[in-house]
């Protein structure tokens, strides 16, 4: 997959993408990232990329021309490209969105700054995506979030192929809790079933914990998902135990 990042601070995204899973995915050729500095496409000696907003008001706006030139450079030689402007006004990213974007062979991610970009740069078919209902100072972090969420799901990106399949949201549920050595830490023990070696019991314990956690923390996810009879039974067990502990 090819991803181009167009930004005022592309090195911030690059630094983030060079480590861990993303760094390895690039080494393995699973994703090819390129970075475009909008300032390099300014046409004056001071490399001006922002100006005051028409109509007045606070802040500055990222000018159309340098950004358009950077976008043209990023798209050159690419076939079908999905161009995405990271923006609080965009479609909110979720697991379904991540999977959808994985299907794109080539993405161009545009990170804004200031009050945002000159609206005229966006062409018909360009998309706007948000990473959440809050405002960041710049789209670089948002671009990093999109790249990370997407690349870790690409085949071969994770060392252990099952990891992404079992993560939160993959089955419409939150993840179950995890534990590692030592068996007892500061007087707190690992749930004994996880030490039993009985894979059937461990699978059911994890599924029940995931269902219970989702029911407690994100009931909206359960409302949008049908349960198998096994899942229904495990959730009822969890609910009984939970209420048996004096919770409402
Ligand atoms: N005036 C804009 C508004 O109220 O929607 C906010 C601009 S913000 C300070 C500067 C840039 O950060 C935006 O152009 C966008 O690229 C990025 N950004 C901020 N919040 C974001 C979010 N929740 N999701 C994606 N990008 C975001």
């Amino acid at each position: 997959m090819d991803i181009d990042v167009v930004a005022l601070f592309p090195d911030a995204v690059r630094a983030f993408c060079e480590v861990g899973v993303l760094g390895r995915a690039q080494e393995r050729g699973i994703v090819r990232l390129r970075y475009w500095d909008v300032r390099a496409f300014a046409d004056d000696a001071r490399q001006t990329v922002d100006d005051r907003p028409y109509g007045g008001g606070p802040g500055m706006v990222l000018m159309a021309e340098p950004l358009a030139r950077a976008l043209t450079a990023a798209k050159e030689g690419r076939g079908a490209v999905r161009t995405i402007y990271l923006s609080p006004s965009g479609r909110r990213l979720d697991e379904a969105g991540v999977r959808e974007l994985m299907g794109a062979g080539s993405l161009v991610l545009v990170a804004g700054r200031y009050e945002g970009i000159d609206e005229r740069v966006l062409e018909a078919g360009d998309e706007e995506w948000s990473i959440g209902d809050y405002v960041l100072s710049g789209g670089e972090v948002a671009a990093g979030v999109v790249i990370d969420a997407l690349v870790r799901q690409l085949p071969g990106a994770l060392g252990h192929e099952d990891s992404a399949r079992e993560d939160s949201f993959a089955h419409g549920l939150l993840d179950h809790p995890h534990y590692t050595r030592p068996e007892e830490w500061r007087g707190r023990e690992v749930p004994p079933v996880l030490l039993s070696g009985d894979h059937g019991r461990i699978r059911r314990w994890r599924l029940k914990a995931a269902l219970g956690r989702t029911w407690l923390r994100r009931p909206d996810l359960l409302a949008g998902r049908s349960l198998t009879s096994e899942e229904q039974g495990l959730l009822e067990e969890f609910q009984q135990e939970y209420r048996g502990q004096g919770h409402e």
Side-chain angles (χ1 to χ4, degrees):
M1 175 167 206
D2 294 303
I3 304 180
D4 287 82
V5 178
V6 176
L8 272 191
F9 299 107
D11 286 347
V13 189
R14 190 199 306 267
F16 171 72
C17 292
E18 270 173 10
V19 297
V21 169
L22 295 180
R24 279 197 303 278
Q26 287 181 82
E27 281 160 22
R28 292 179 188 151
I30 293 165
V31 65
R32 288 164 298 278
L33 292 169
R34 295 192 309 184
Y35 304 92
W36 304 89
D37 181 350
V38 179
R39 218 172 270 288
F41 295 87
D43 56 10
D44 64 338
R46 293 182 59 237
Q47 295 190 303
T48 308
V49 291
D50 60 318
D51 208 337
R52 290 190 298 277
Y54 278 123
M60 302 294 272
V61 176
L62 197 43
M63 292 160 66
E65 187 57 28
L67 189 50
R69 288 189 197 143
L71 276 167
T72 302
K75 289 182 199 170
E76 198 180 323
R78 297 273 193 239
V81 178
R82 269 176 93 159
T83 302
I84 293 177
Y85 169 45
L86 283 320
S87 154
S89 307
R91 166 178 166 182
R92 198 159 55 186
L93 186 70
D94 61 7
E95 177 73 6
V98 169
R99 281 163 199 254
E100 190 190 309
L101 294 179
M102 279 168 65
S106 191
L107 280 183
V108 176
L109 301 179
V110 183
R113 278 268 155 185
Y114 314 119
E115 291 306 314
I117 64 174
D118 187 316
E119 193 77 14
R120 294 170 293 181
V121 172
L122 297 174
E123 293 174 1
D126 288 353
E127 301 166 49
E128 291 188 44
W129 288 61
S130 163
I131 62 160
D133 289 346
Y134 41 78
V135 176
L136 304 162
S137 308
E140 288 84 356
V141 171
V145 167
V146 171
I147 295 167
D148 192 343
L150 208 154
V151 172
R152 72 191 305 283
Q153 299 239 26
L154 293 175
L158 294 178
H160 192 277
E161 281 310 302
D162 288 338
S163 304
R165 258 180 272 144
E166 293 183 2
D167 276 342
S168 291
F169 308 112
H171 302 289
L173 299 175
L174 300 180
D175 198 7
H176 56 77
H178 298 269
Y179 303 87
T180 185
R181 290 190 296 177
E183 280 180 36
E184 190 197 309
W185 177 76
R186 298 189 181 181
R188 301 173 71 176
E189 289 180 355
V190 171
V193 61
L194 299 179
L195 310 174
S196 69
D198 181 336
H199 296 298
R201 280 183 63 217
I202 292 171
R203 186 192 65 78
R204 280 192 301 280
W205 183 89
R206 287 179 166 162
L207 179 56
K208 181 167 144 183
L211 285 158
R213 190 176 255 198
T214 309
W215 172 67
L216 286 173
R217 301 182 189 179
R218 291 291 305 275
D220 57 304
L221 292 178
L222 282 187
R225 181 186 187 281
S226 57
L227 299 182
T228 64
S229 57
E230 182 194 33
E231 288 171 343
Q232 188 62 47
L234 288 170
L235 178 59
E236 282 165 17
E237 256 179 49
F238 181 93
Q239 289 166 332
Q240 272 166 19
E241 287 166 15
Y242 183 77
R243 290 181 178 126
Q245 290 160 6
H247 298 288
E248 282 299 303

